[in-house]
Amino acid sequence: MKPQNLTDVSEFLLQGLSDDPDMQPLLFGLFLSMYLVTVLGNLLIILAVSSNSHLHTPMYFFLSNLSLTDVSFSTTTIPKMLVNLQTHSKSITYAGCLTQLTFFSLFAFLESLLLTVMAYDRLVAICHPLHYLVIMNPRFYGLLVLVSFSISLLTSLLHCLMVSQLTFCEDVEVPHFFCELSQLLNLSCSDTFINNILTYFIGAILGGVPLSGIIYSYTQITSSILRVSSSDGKYKAFSTCGSHLSVVCLFYGTGLGVYLSSTVSSSHRKSAVVSVMYTVVTPMLNPFIYSLRNKDIKSTLQRIIIKKA
């Protein structure tokens, strides 16, 4: 099959989750509902944090940035899928595909790094409470978010550059509902050995290092909490970490599930279905996890709702 340069490819075809025409309206309604819930839930978290001066702390600053990342993460993939379902089209332009790939990588890496920063914040708060305000000053926690964003942006641009150098065969059907890096590498007629090595290396660094940091933080946190003599003190300390730990397990658990499913199963369509968990479900559940387990968020949201009513 004669290869053609990527610049000659005008569009890719996203195969989506199902080819059954009867499933299209159901999928459209389902994903539209999930997207609206994701946007509304995360924006309410941001509104609650910004409107209550008592929530202007490092922990809630990181939480509002995580919520903004979740909205952006979902917006990268779901709207295009909804448009394709509504118009019965599978196409995405070359520029659109590269843009989607870049922003998807950006927000996926940023979420991983923000969860790590939030774990560090809990570590300082529980293990070094007397020095918390000195260590986690506005300049420092703002810098942590800026560095996380910069690393994520540079890495996503590197992914985009990698794909832009590839050549593709005539088959440009992506067995996914968005332009995912590994699927694009599989479609390439070029030698992708170096690309794959670089992809795994970046994944190991920006996936493994943050996860190791989170595990280390919670090891220190657990050790510190167990030294607390009061049962009420232990419960209060654990309760401040419960929501974050739940989100960490959800994000990394679903991400690992997608990786294992793609390794075990030869069906790309099944892998696409499984990837819905971390691209759609996880950003939707995060605001519920934080709001339901956090009295300050719940009370602020209740006051906002009552005031609007």
Side-chain angles (χ1 to χ4, degrees), residues 153-182:
L153 179 61
L154 290 174
T155 307
S156 63
L157 291 176
L158 178 59
H159 279 326
C160 180
L161 180 63
M162 286 167 48
V163 174
S164 68
Q165 302 303 310
L166 297 176
T167 56
F168 287 82
C169 301
E170 294 176 4
D171 181 14
V172 288
E173 294 185 353
V174 182
H176 219 297
F177 63 92
F178 66 94
C179 288
E180 202 259 341
L181 178 61
S182 63

Side-chain angles (χ1 to χ4, degrees), residues 176-243:
H176 219 297
F177 63 92
F178 66 94
C179 288
E180 202 259 341
L181 178 61
S182 63
Q183 301 296 344
L184 294 178
L185 293 179
N186 290 335
L187 291 177
S188 175
C189 294
S190 306
D191 181 5
T192 59
F193 176 76
I194 295 179
N195 300 75
N196 286 319
I197 293 297
L198 188 59
T199 299
Y200 287 125
F201 177 76
I202 292 174
I205 295 297
L206 291 185
V209 172
L211 181 58
S212 300
I214 292 172
I215 293 173
Y216 172 78
S217 296
Y218 275 103
T219 300
Q220 297 299 310
I221 288 171
T222 303
S223 176
S224 180
I225 290 176
L226 292 177
R227 291 196 294 268
V228 177
S229 57
S230 169
S231 58
D232 289 338
K234 290 180 179 179
Y235 174 78
K236 185 177 180 180
F238 270 123
S239 65
T240 64
C241 302
S243 298

Side-chain angles (χ1 to χ4, degrees), residues 13-19 27 30-31 34 73 77-78 81 100 104 173-184 186 254-255 257-282:
L13 299 178
L14 300 175
Q15 295 303 297
L17 299 175
S18 174
D19 292 324
L27 289 174
L30 176 64
F31 281 96
M34 295 173 74
F73 192 38
T77 58
I78 300 179
M81 179 174 65
Q100 190 178 68
F104 179 84
E173 294 185 353
V174 182
H176 219 297
F177 63 92
F178 66 94
C179 288
E180 202 259 341
L181 178 61
S182 63
Q183 301 296 344
L184 294 178
N186 290 335
T254 53
V258 171
Y259 173 76
L260 292 177
S261 67
S262 62
T263 303
V264 175
S265 175
S266 58
S267 173
H268 295 300
R269 184 61 60 83
K270 289 182 179 178
S271 298
V273 173
V274 174
S275 68
V276 170
M277 286 300 297
Y278 79 95
T279 57
V280 182
V281 177
T282 298

